[in-house]
Amino acid sequence: MEKYAPYSELKAFHHIDRINGILKNERVAPIYIRIKPTNVCNQRCYYCGYADDQLYDGRKVDKRESIPWEILEHAIQELAEMGVKAVTFSGGGEPLCYQYIEKALELVRKYGIDYSMITNGQALKGTVVNQLKDAKWVRISFDSCMPQTYEAIRGVQTYREVVRNIEHFAQVKENCTIGINCVVTKQNADQVYEVCRIAKEIGADNIKLSPILVKGRESTYHSAIRERVSEQILLAKEQLETDRFTIVDKYTSDLSFEEDFQKPYHRCVIQEIFAVIAADSKVYRCHQRAYTKPGELGDLSHQSFKEIWYSGDTIKNVCEFDPYTECPFRCAFDERNMLLNQFVMMDKEHINFI
């Protein structure tokens, strides 16, 4: 059975021009950019990798910081000139807390760039809904079927408000796919089936279930809950999935559950077609390395995005970066990087013998 397309690991292979450029050792323009416009957030999720400086070594986040509009405006203009295909607004903090988020959405629409958002849904109301109803997708972080658990995880008493916002957005959205992100923890491990049921009931098109990352202790942490969580996911897929509602299981076989997980590759191909623009006005190689010195590629306060991307220093940095040693943790791009490495490193002498 084919993987649900919005979460397929194979999407990069549809961008043949960029892949061919990589095969020729060219510095190609990025396909996709993640924009973290602000570190300000209206929730306090205890597992947030941007709220907890200890979750990723060396990450320092100023929780009051937002990217100045003139810097973001110019960066978006350059992304359009370079042929960037898509951007996602996410955190850092909560993108809907960014003062200029509607202007930013208007600008990417004007330039014909596909756009999406990852939000906690608490501010998913008012005029911004009109900007987002035509987005390619909006994904809401939603971890519980009970207000008490929601508050314990997210530090706010806004469960019912968020449910109402999702229901309303589902009614008014046009071509936008609504997804739910559910991070599985010990607090919500017995609610997984019900979260899936509620997601379907309030109008989501899909729900993605992923394990909480616990800084190298994922296998130990999840050992007590993994079996019953996987059983609930299987039952939910059997009873709740339809042609209009999909459950994406990123939990049951996640690579982080492997003891002593190590990356089987030394080249991060993703960083050659992707980057992050963060609230501190800096450009980073990926979102898991955002706000860390090893992830930094340049500063938009001093250079334009195009100057940073094509600079000799950046190209040298990207070429010399070894994810095997620099990123000894589970990465969201591991599966895609493994596929891209297999393709790029393939023996070209035998490619015709399919």
Side-chain angles (χ1 to χ4, degrees):
M1 183 177 177
E2 290 185 4
K3 283 190 176 182
Y4 185 53
Y7 291 97
S8 172
E9 314 295 355
L10 300 171
K11 289 183 285 187
F13 293 95
H14 281 276
H15 300 274
I16 303 300
D17 57 333
R18 306 294 212 278
I19 299 298
N20 282 337
I22 289 171
L23 290 173
K24 296 174 185 175
N25 293 316
E26 297 173 355
R27 180 60 167 163
V28 301
I31 298 169
Y32 175 41
I33 298 293
R34 182 76 71 93
I35 299 175
K36 301 177 183 296
T38 185
N39 294 331
V40 175
C41 192
N42 51 9
Q43 297 194 349
R44 300 185 300 277
C45 304
Y46 76 85
Y47 60 73
C48 178
Y50 300 100
D52 181 1
D53 291 342
Q54 302 306 309
L55 193 58
Y56 289 101
D57 293 332
R59 174 174 280 172
K60 298 295 180 185
V61 180
D62 181 344
K63 299 174 181 63
R64 299 165 297 177
E65 201 160 31
S66 297
I67 187 168
W69 171 243
E70 62 272 14
I71 290 179
L72 182 56
E73 180 182 32
H74 186 250
I76 292 172
Q77 290 169 348
E78 284 198 306
L79 300 184
E81 292 169 5
M82 294 170 71
V84 167
K85 304 296 185 183
V87 300
T88 294
F89 294 92
S90 69
E94 164 54 46
L96 291 177
C97 288
Y98 182 54
Q99 182 180 358
Y100 304 105
I101 191 61
E102 292 193 48
K103 293 175 73 171
L105 292 168
E106 287 175 10
L107 197 59
V108 294
R109 289 182 66 182
K110 171 186 171 182
Y111 288 124
I113 300 172
D114 288 348
Y115 64 100
S116 63
M117 181 175 288
I118 300 173
T119 171
N120 60 40
Q122 190 168 307
L124 186 59
K125 54 190 173 183
T127 56
V128 74
V129 167
N130 293 324
Q131 299 283 356
L132 287 171
K133 66 183 182 182
D134 292 318
K136 283 291 181 181
W137 52 265
V138 171
R139 204 173 297 155
I140 299 107
S141 300
F142 186 77
D143 311 302
S144 176
C145 64
M146 297 173 61
Q148 302 94 316
T149 309
Y150 187 89
E151 180 184 352
I153 293 173
R154 299 191 160 266
V156 290
Q157 298 177 338
T158 56
Y159 174 85
R160 291 182 175 84
E161 179 183 352
V162 170
V163 168
R164 286 195 300 270
N165 289 347
I166 298 171
E167 286 179 316
H168 176 257
F169 188 68
Q171 291 167 3
V172 302
K173 62 105 172 177
E174 296 180 359
N175 297 317
C176 178
T177 297
I178 302 178
I180 299 292
N181 267 350
C182 178
V183 175
V184 179
T185 68
K186 289 179 179 178
Q187 284 90 341
N188 64 8
D190 293 318
Q191 302 175 27
V192 169
Y193 179 92
E194 279 300 301
V195 173
C196 292
R197 184 190 63 77
I198 289 172
K200 179 180 180 180
E201 185 178 276
I202 62 180
D205 298 298
N206 65 68
I207 180 170
K208 182 182 74 167
L209 300 145
S210 307
I212 184 176
L213 300 181
V214 203
K215 200 176 182 180
R217 295 186 289 108
E218 286 79 12
S219 180
T220 302
Y221 178 95
H222 288 277
S223 62
I225 62 173
R226 188 176 177 186
E227 184 175 350
R228 67 180 190 269
V229 169
S230 297
E231 287 174 355
Q232 290 175 77
I233 295 173
L234 182 61
L235 184 63
K237 289 177 75 67
E238 290 174 351
Q239 296 185 352
L240 301 176
E241 278 197 321
T242 67
D243 57 352
R244 300 182 66 180
F245 180 72
T246 304
I247 297 168
V248 181
D249 181 7
K250 294 286 187 177
Y251 180 88
T252 302
S253 300
D254 191 85
L255 291 175
S256 65
F257 294 152
E258 295 182 12
E259 295 286 352
D260 302 318
F261 170 75
Q262 289 184 319
K263 298 182 190 302
Y265 57 90
H266 291 270
R267 179 178 179 180
C268 178
V269 184
I270 286 293
Q271 66 170 337
E272 300 175 44
I273 50 178
F274 170 81
V276 169
I277 296 173
D280 59 0
S281 300
K282 292 180 179 179
V283 178
Y284 295 95
R285 67 179 81 249
C286 70
H287 47 83
Q288 284 184 264
R289 277 303 192 187
Y291 303 101
T292 70
K293 201 63 183 175
E296 187 177 332
L297 298 177
D299 191 333
L300 292 171
S301 301
H302 307 302
Q303 292 178 285
S304 72
F305 182 87
K306 192 181 294 185
E307 288 171 340
I308 293 169
W309 187 259
Y310 290 113
S311 76
D313 287 343
T314 297
I315 294 170
K316 183 174 184 290
N317 182 318
V318 167
C319 289
E320 293 180 354
F321 188 83
D322 184 350
Y324 183 86
T325 56
E326 296 289 344
C327 302
F329 49 77
R330 172 72 168 101
C331 170
F333 289 124
D334 275 330
E335 287 88 350
R336 275 160 279 186
N337 261 324
M338 285 187 272
L339 287 169
L340 286 164
N341 270 274
Q342 288 176 33
F343 184 75
V344 170
M345 302 298 291
M346 190 182 298
D347 180 358
K348 308 301 189 299
E349 292 296 319
H350 295 191
I351 59 174
N352 294 330
F353 298 89
I354 60 172

